[in-house]
Amino acid sequence: MNRIGAWTTEVARGGQPVVAVSHKAAIRALLALATGWDMTGRQPVKLDWHCLHYFAATPDGRVTLERPSVTLATP
């Protein structure tokens, strides 16, 4: 969480949108930062791992989950 938090702060300070492709662990760390979840027990938001998840970061280090589980394509 510390490493991804530092990265999101750096990205936010850059002022440009970023698309990142990542593995489940990094997404869970972002979810923890966005929700205050301590990564024990169930996730506070159920994420569909076949979808996009929109997070936002601010230059002061805050992360929010803007839109979880956005479908990529219609079946």
Side-chain angles (χ1 to χ4, degrees), residues 21-61:
V21 177
S22 181
H23 53 80
K24 192 175 179 179
I27 297 168
R28 286 170 48 94
L30 279 172
L31 181 63
L33 289 172
T35 63
W37 173 49
D38 67 3
M39 297 184 79
T40 61
R42 290 184 178 211
Q43 295 176 188
V45 178
K46 183 172 172 60
L47 299 177
D48 182 337
W49 299 112
H50 297 101
C51 293
L52 294 174
H53 310 292
Y54 287 89
F55 290 89
T58 60
D60 65 355

Side-chain angles (χ1 to χ4, degrees), residues 1-10 25-26 29-30 32-33 39 61 63:
M1 283 176 49
N2 290 335
R3 287 187 301 186
I4 200 139
W7 176 76
T8 58
T9 299
E10 182 180 326
L30 279 172
L33 289 172
M39 297 184 79
V63 176

